[in-house]
Amino acid sequence: FGAVAELGDFEITITFYNITKKEAIISYSEKNRQSDIAYSVKDRLVFNKNDSEKQIHTTLVNQINVMIENICSEYLIEPESIIQLVFAGSTPMLHFISGMEMTENQNGDFEEQSLFGIKEIAKMTGIKINKNAVISYVPCISSSVGGNFLFKICPCKTMDKELIIDFSSFVTIGFLCDDKIYVSSSADENYEITGVSGHITGSVSGTTISQNDNIHLKTIDDTTPEGITLSGMIDVLGTLKSKGLFSETDKQDIEIGSYKIFYRDISNFILLKEYIKNTINAILKNTKLDISDIVRVSVSNNCDEKISLSALTELNLIPDELVPKLKNHFEDIICYDRLRL
């Protein structure tokens, strides 16, 4: 088994995965007990600097161990069978869990020295799993980058130099190169996507074309359209553009049957092209790679439908050089139980 622990400032979530089957088993959340010692992250940094007993660190380690123990007990899993653990969080949170000191000039900002994090063996950390399990620290990501996305990169292992682009409520991009993980989220970059819903009943998830060439909307659970997923937006706009019924220069709402997509939502969506391009360029700059060095581009979402590759291409969301390497990621992660205490 593998696990991803998302270390939020005020909530911790641990998700267990069956690495072989590529299945998420359970996600388990609790309040971050550090907030009982010092409420804000800034206060915790000040407290930690003057605390020789390192209560901020030990509180977090103890809480992680109890959460893992509870999950293992509930699902009859031996802690020894957990062979990989990934910690994700802001720069301060990763320093708290690792026990590393933070210099004052970091203050939670993204610093080169902590950009790629570190790896440790479990027996050196106090985390009670397989003593030889590899613990990875994935820094510089906010809580908006979830465990499901990290699972696609870490426990299940992508190819080296594979780019993963996840279209869920926003766009998340990950890249694995020489065992270093680069992660970016459009939520963190303030590319707001309005008018997009989650994977809920009634959300538009794609299109179908009738024999007389009419476009019909597919919805989750085949009900009346109410809202649209991000992958649904891609499919709808890509299909319309392929038929000459949509252009990025159009400044008008789009109506299909009784459902309307507002122009303001379309214009915000189009900005994603800029975000994807800028993120890929930043990755190439940091890795000193050329775009031709990217071996594969995998797209995914947190729903059970595949993303239309032709629509992505039609909308020019993927750079031309990468289109031949485009594919859907492995079958989406199976739904899991989510416990919140």
Side-chain angles (χ1 to χ4, degrees):
F1 297 94
V4 173
E6 301 171 60
L7 305 178
D9 296 349
F10 300 102
E11 184 176 75
I12 297 172
T13 300
I14 299 180
T15 306
F16 272 33
Y17 300 92
N18 184 310
I19 297 175
T20 304
K21 295 181 179 180
K22 299 179 179 178
E23 293 177 357
I25 301 170
I26 181 173
S27 188
Y28 185 87
S29 298
E30 283 187 1
K31 167 189 172 183
N32 186 336
R33 304 297 179 192
Q34 290 179 326
S35 61
D36 294 334
I37 300 174
Y39 188 72
S40 71
V41 171
K42 185 176 181 180
D43 290 340
R44 293 174 212 172
L45 289 169
V46 173
F47 183 93
N48 192 59
K49 184 178 179 181
N50 301 309
D51 178 29
S52 60
E53 296 183 3
K54 302 303 177 188
Q55 296 178 61
I56 293 291
H57 168 67
T58 56
T59 296
L60 192 54
V61 170
N62 291 340
Q63 183 175 1
I64 295 293
N65 281 332
V66 171
M67 292 177 72
I68 290 174
E69 181 181 353
N70 288 341
I71 297 174
C72 288
S73 175
E74 177 75 19
Y75 281 80
L76 303 178
I77 295 172
E78 291 292 333
E80 279 290 312
S81 65
I82 303 171
I83 60 173
Q84 185 173 35
L85 174 62
V86 179
F87 283 118
S90 64
T91 301
M93 289 304 301
L94 289 180
H95 280 73
F96 291 150
I97 187 63
S98 68
M100 294 171 58
E101 294 292 338
M102 286 189 65
T103 56
E104 288 188 19
N105 66 347
Q106 284 179 289
N107 291 325
D109 295 330
F110 300 164
E111 295 289 332
E112 186 68 26
Q113 66 207 66
S114 62
L115 181 59
F116 305 119
I118 57 177
K119 288 190 175 183
E120 293 184 301
I121 302 300
K123 63 183 177 182
M124 306 297 293
T125 66
I127 302 296
K128 297 177 181 178
I129 54 178
N130 186 299
K131 64 180 182 180
N132 295 315
V134 176
I135 296 181
S136 304
Y137 299 84
V138 183
C140 301
I141 56 176
S142 73
S143 58
S144 60
V145 179
N148 276 4
F149 181 78
L150 290 173
F151 165 68
K152 296 171 184 178
I153 299 178
C154 300
C156 277
K157 293 293 185 185
T158 61
M159 296 172 61
D160 193 50
K161 300 181 179 62
E162 176 179 3
L163 187 73
I164 294 183
I165 307 177
D166 188 76
F167 296 92
S168 296
S169 299
F170 37 81
V171 177
T172 308
I173 298 177
F175 187 69
L176 180 65
C177 179
D178 297 331
D179 214 26
K180 295 176 181 178
I181 300 170
Y182 301 76
V183 181
S184 175
S185 166
S186 63
D188 300 334
E189 299 292 338
N190 298 315
Y191 284 85
E192 182 181 8
I193 307 172
T194 58
V196 172
S197 63
H199 187 73
I200 57 177
T201 297
S203 294
V204 176
S205 58
T207 59
T208 58
I209 308 297
S210 65
Q211 289 184 345
N212 56 2
D213 211 32
N214 289 330
I215 299 174
H216 300 278
L217 298 178
K218 292 191 300 183
T219 63
I220 297 170
D221 296 331
D222 297 321
T223 59
T224 303
E226 294 183 21
I228 187 168
T229 65
L230 182 53
S231 54
M233 179 86 82
I234 292 169
D235 196 327
V236 170
L237 295 183
T239 300
L240 291 172
K241 187 175 180 182
S242 70
K243 295 184 172 297
L245 301 175
F246 165 72
S247 170
E248 294 179 10
T249 58
D250 295 339
K251 295 185 177 181
Q252 58 187 16
D253 301 337
I254 292 175
E255 291 189 44
I256 302 178
S258 61
Y259 187 73
K260 179 184 288 188
I261 304 176
F262 294 101
Y263 166 69
R264 66 174 182 271
D265 300 331
I266 297 171
S267 61
N268 287 335
F269 169 81
I270 292 171
L271 290 176
L272 290 178
K273 183 191 303 185
E274 175 188 346
Y275 165 72
I276 293 171
K277 178 182 177 181
N278 290 344
T279 300
I280 292 174
N281 286 339
I283 288 171
L284 295 176
K285 180 179 178 181
N286 278 278
T287 57
K288 296 180 174 57
L289 295 175
D290 183 79
I291 195 167
S292 61
D293 294 321
I294 297 176
V295 298
R296 186 166 70 184
V297 181
S298 298
V299 295
S300 64
N301 58 25
N302 60 359
C303 309
D304 59 2
E305 73 271 359
K306 291 185 177 180
I307 295 175
S308 171
L309 302 185
S310 60
L312 285 172
T313 305
E314 189 71 45
L315 294 169
N316 302 119
L317 286 172
I318 306 297
D320 292 341
E321 301 94 325
L322 297 178
V323 169
K325 302 175 181 179
L326 190 61
K327 65 177 285 292
N328 269 285
H329 204 271
F330 55 73
E331 292 297 319
D332 291 307
I333 297 169
I334 293 176
C335 294
Y336 52 85
D337 296 331
R338 184 172 182 84
L339 303 180
R340 304 182 71 86
L341 301 185

